[in-house]
Amino acid sequence: MTRELWKGNEAIAEAAIRAGLEAYFGYPITPQTEILEYLSRRMPELGRAFVQAEAELGAINMVYGAACAGVRVMSTSSSPGVSLMMEGLSYIAGTELPAVLVNVMRGGPGLGNIAPAQSDYNQAVHGGGHGDYKPIVLAPASVQEAIDLMVLSFDLAEKYRSICMVILDGSIGQMMEPAQMPEMKPIRRADWEWATDGRMGKRERRILTSIYLDPIEEETTNLRILSRWKAVQANEVRYKEYFLDDAEFVIVGFGTAGRVALSAVRAARQQGIRVGLLRPITVSPFPFEVIDKLAEHASAFLVTEMNAGQMLDDVRLAVRGRTPIEFYGRPGGVVPFPDEILSEVQRIAAGPLSIVSDPRDAWYERMMATAR
Amino acid sequence: MQKEIIIAGFGGQGVLFGGQVLTYAAMDAGKEVTWFPSYGPEMRGGTANCTVVIADEEIGSPLVKNPPLAIALNLPSFDKYEELLAPGGTLIVNQSMVDRQAKRKDIHVIFVACNDIAEELGNKKLLNMVAVGALLTALPEITMKDVERVLEAHLPARHKHLLPLNCEALKRGFEAANKVPA
């Protein structure tokens, strides 16, 4: 296979097609519009369904309907648009359907801006729609990884009858990198035992619903959703390690913040600082166990994010107060440069560090001091 | 090996395509490479820029604060990147669009009259290729031949007839930059 130069958003669209995407519903919003634009051309060419909905609310409910029929379906949007989809997402979760949603995140809250951000981590991983459910959330850091994870997202969604979200920041959507596309897979509709795809008078009626008026029945449904989630946690944790073998200090960062940290790690290594990087690829399920193990030997952790400290809370949960944690974030659509993270690493290596101070409070104080 | 290049200018000066040409050339040479555009409202008039990172191994940050190489196609870009360039770096400046000399002494500033050369060739849109040609004097990892092959393969079909002129523009830029005393 030869490498071709792909723009992140277009690569995501083509990868979804090659993974067997049969129906797409969406609404334009920067910085993900190229996905919709690309699919508006390619999907009709292939005889597949493309609908630009009247709004995000319509799009996600069209996804809901197509998912009920058992077809490979996805929508894509960016932060404010994804917020609009949360009700539909909860219904999809409650109905136990596979669906894929891509969020090319931008600066927020509110209308915010169109710059790259990671401030929807909590919405994707911990929050989102109402009710007890957890989506699988994948966080690519490059165009190639975005392609690979798009293909994986459909398989995971179907395997666990779950929502699979792919979250990336606007920079990965907009940048170009050499990448290899997978082979085109034919459209294949699995014979799902749950799909409401027309019984043709041949079999029992199937009912897909998120309404369980009897609380005991709803509780049973919740526990069934949880049992699938436990399997996801056991089987699907993915991450990438860099220079961790002898690392005294460990940076944890996902997506673009993770790859910017890689530049800082290399620069720090040249100065003799033994620092490594853990880059979660699945942020849900989160790699708690690997961080738990790293906490046994690391002198300190540095969490880097393009937000005000969201994944930070998950790292703290894994470290459980055994080792100092420091935080460096740039919220609002600012992408950090490697030298910013490098100076954090230098500060940490110089010590001393407190195990009791709140890493977010300490970071906030440093940010305010710089601003003054 | 890792080299970072920023190309900046007005929207419409071919900043993004200039960067893509380098990106394709690096990819075809078997390198890792990223191309990162400014994608904000500046695309609709005003300034545009793109960052190209070329490396032998997995690339970390696709953005760089102090690049060793840059092209400034207009005065605001000259002002901005003369300040930001890494010490010892090379800045190609489009002399046709600036009215001042360089201030820094610790970088190489190479003035090339990109607009004038492009107009001599009969198409002012070629100015980005003149600048890219000039940059190649400071980027030995990519040869003129590499870039010519890229243009042949990736020039949009409607512009294919401009291939010889594009190659000529590259050459003229390279020669102009080589003539500037270091």
Side-chain angles (χ1 to χ4, degrees):
Chain A
M1 291 282 279
T2 52
R3 297 194 308 169
E4 292 171 290
L5 201 57
W6 280 96
K7 186 174 195 167
N9 280 337
E10 294 182 347
I12 282 169
E14 180 63 25
I17 283 174
R18 298 200 183 192
L21 176 69
E22 198 176 347
Y24 173 89
F25 308 98
Y27 190 78
I29 179 170
T30 305
Q32 68 81 48
T33 299
E34 293 88 352
I35 302 178
L36 182 110
E37 185 187 10
Y38 187 93
L39 290 173
S40 72
R41 185 173 66 246
R42 283 281 280 151
M43 293 291 273
E45 259 175 29
L46 295 162
R48 305 183 189 184
F50 171 93
V51 179
Q52 179 177 322
E54 75 280 13
E56 288 83 352
L57 218 65
I60 196 68
N61 282 289
M62 292 174 193
V63 168
Y64 187 16
C68 287
V71 308
R72 284 204 155 178
V73 59
M74 91 167 172
S75 186
T76 62
S77 191
S78 177
S79 308
V82 173
S83 287
L84 283 168
M85 293 182 174
M86 283 301 147
E87 182 199 35
L89 220 57
S90 173
Y91 278 61
I92 292 169
T95 311
E96 303 167 73
L97 294 170
V100 171
L101 175 62
V102 178
N103 182 359
V104 186
M105 297 179 282
R106 58 188 244 180
L111 200 55
N113 55 45
I114 61 173
Q118 297 182 323
S119 39
D120 306 343
Y121 176 93
N122 275 341
Q123 184 193 54
V125 173
H126 296 301
H130 59 281
D132 260 314
Y133 75 95
K134 276 180 169 292
I136 298 166
V137 185
L138 312 176
S142 67
V143 173
Q144 183 67 61
E145 204 167 69
I147 291 168
D148 299 341
L149 294 182
M150 277 316 297
V151 176
L152 179 69
S153 68
F154 290 98
D155 293 336
L156 292 181
E158 287 174 356
K159 186 173 177 190
Y160 297 102
R161 283 182 69 173
S162 168
I163 293 160
C164 187
M165 284 185 75
V166 179
I167 60 169
L168 54 147
D169 64 84
S171 66
I172 299 167
Q174 295 295 326
M175 72 194 279
M176 291 178 97
E177 287 184 308
Q180 288 183 4
M181 275 290 159
E183 293 293 331
M184 183 75 119
K185 272 195 216 167
I187 293 280
R188 180 188 57 90
R189 270 196 215 175
D191 191 16
W192 303 116
E193 72 281 5
W194 46 262
T196 50
D197 51 358
R199 67 190 180 110
M200 310 290 183
K202 284 179 192 155
R203 56 167 162 74
E204 291 289 291
R205 277 181 77 186
R206 290 170 181 167
I207 296 173
L208 285 170
T209 181
S210 73
I211 308 169
Y212 299 93
L213 290 178
D214 175 3
I216 293 295
E217 216 185 321
E218 182 68 78
E219 186 183 54
T220 308
T221 304
N222 271 267
L223 293 174
R224 186 168 62 240
I225 293 172
L226 187 58
S227 75
R228 288 199 201 101
W229 177 250
K230 289 177 81 66
V232 170
Q233 275 183 314
N235 302 324
E236 306 298 348
V237 173
R238 288 169 171 81
Y239 53 86
K240 192 161 175 187
E241 297 174 304
Y242 303 83
F243 304 101
L244 281 179
D245 286 345
D246 65 339
E248 192 181 350
F249 308 103
V250 176
I251 302 182
V252 187
F254 70 96
T256 295
R259 66 184 286 173
V260 174
L262 174 60
S263 296
V265 165
R266 287 187 182 131
R269 284 263 165 187
Q270 282 188 350
Q271 298 172 8
I273 303 173
R274 286 191 288 122
V275 58
L277 168 68
L278 177 77
R279 184 167 64 76
I281 293 171
T282 53
V283 284
S284 173
F286 191 72
F288 285 109
E289 270 180 38
V290 60
I291 294 175
D292 183 33
K293 286 208 179 70
L294 286 167
E296 287 169 13
H297 303 289
S299 305
F301 283 84
L302 170 64
V303 178
T304 60
E305 296 181 79
M306 280 147 60
N307 59 41
Q310 299 192 11
M311 183 184 68
L312 170 63
D313 291 334
D314 286 324
V315 176
R316 293 176 80 182
L317 211 53
V319 173
R320 300 195 307 279
R322 287 169 289 172
T323 307
I325 300 176
E326 294 282 317
F327 175 69
Y328 185 73
R330 295 302 303 261
V334 181
V335 183
F337 285 109
D339 64 335
E340 298 168 46
I341 298 173
L342 176 62
S343 46
E344 290 297 303
V345 172
Q346 289 165 335
R347 183 177 62 78
I348 289 166
L353 300 169
S354 163
I355 205 155
V356 286
S357 77
D358 182 306
R360 191 184 288 102
D361 288 352
W363 160 76
Y364 174 78
E365 291 303 326
R366 287 194 301 277
M367 287 292 277
M368 295 314 281
T370 318
R372 278 194 291 269
Chain B
M1 186 282 296
Q2 178 163 317
K3 289 247 172 107
E4 302 99 0
I5 304 133
I6 291 180
I7 306 181
F10 290 124
Q13 283 187 306
V15 163
L16 300 184
F17 185 70
Q20 281 180 10
V21 166
L22 292 173
T23 307
Y24 277 114
M27 176 179 78
D28 293 346
K31 306 281 186 200
E32 295 299 324
V33 59
T34 61
W35 173 89
F36 188 96
S38 55
Y39 63 89
E42 61 268 33
M43 282 167 69
R44 284 115 189 134
T47 63
N49 70 69
C50 69
T51 306
V52 177
V53 180
I54 301 170
D56 288 322
E57 52 182 357
E58 182 178 342
I59 293 170
S61 177
L63 286 171
V64 57
K65 191 189 281 177
N66 306 114
L69 297 169
I71 295 173
L73 292 176
N74 62 8
L75 185 58
S77 304
F78 182 25
D79 292 342
K80 182 173 176 185
Y81 291 103
E82 183 181 17
E83 227 169 86
L84 288 175
L85 210 74
T90 300
L91 177 64
I92 308 294
V93 177
N94 180 7
Q95 196 168 20
S96 316
M97 300 284 283
V98 304
D99 56 4
R100 68 167 179 89
Q101 294 300 305
K103 291 173 192 159
R104 277 177 69 178
K105 301 284 176 236
D106 62 337
I107 58 173
H108 308 286
V109 181
I110 298 177
F111 290 94
V112 175
C114 302
N115 290 40
D116 301 81
I117 293 174
E119 276 169 34
E120 274 172 45
L121 293 171
N123 188 335
K124 63 183 178 197
K125 285 184 180 167
L126 293 166
L127 77 101
N128 58 345
M129 288 304 117
V130 176
V132 167
L135 182 81
L136 291 184
T137 58
L139 186 63
E141 289 81 4
I142 293 174
T143 67
M144 189 77 79
K145 264 266 153 303
D146 292 336
V147 179
E148 284 177 10
R149 269 197 297 268
V150 164
L151 287 172
E152 206 174 334
H154 301 287
L155 213 58
R158 63 182 190 282
H159 293 148
K160 268 279 148 65
H161 64 284
L162 293 172
L163 180 63
L165 267 184
N166 272 274
C167 294
E168 185 61 24
L170 279 172
K171 216 170 85 189
R172 290 286 300 274
F174 189 90
E175 287 166 1
N178 258 343
K179 269 187 215 134
V180 176

